[in-house]
Amino acid sequence: MLDERLLQILVCPACRASLEYKERRKVLICTECATRYEVRDGIPIMLGEDQQDG
């Protein structure tokens, strides 16, 4: 589970848009550019080389 307070302040590093958390898939998805960021053990992995274009 991702902390709701953390989710409120995170933005996509690529375009600065908001992110949507998909708990079942353990991924954050950008609402603008659709880039996906994996969440491992409750920690968003938002480094450039780990992102996946949607």
Side-chain angles (χ1 to χ4, degrees):
M1 185 75 182
L2 194 60
D3 188 302
E4 187 64 34
R5 293 174 293 175
L6 178 60
L7 187 55
Q8 291 176 2
I9 62 171
L10 287 176
V11 295
C12 176
C15 70
R16 301 287 186 226
S18 60
L19 298 166
E20 184 177 339
Y21 182 51
K22 301 293 185 179
E23 186 173 358
R24 193 167 63 109
R25 293 188 278 166
K26 293 184 172 60
V27 67
L28 288 166
I29 301 175
C30 177
T31 58
E32 287 293 318
C33 69
T35 301
R36 293 177 293 205
Y37 302 94
E38 183 180 357
V39 177
R40 295 183 202 150
D41 298 321
I43 301 169
I45 309 302
M46 301 175 77
L47 302 172
E49 63 270 7
D50 289 337
Q51 69 189 20
Q52 305 167 356
D53 291 329

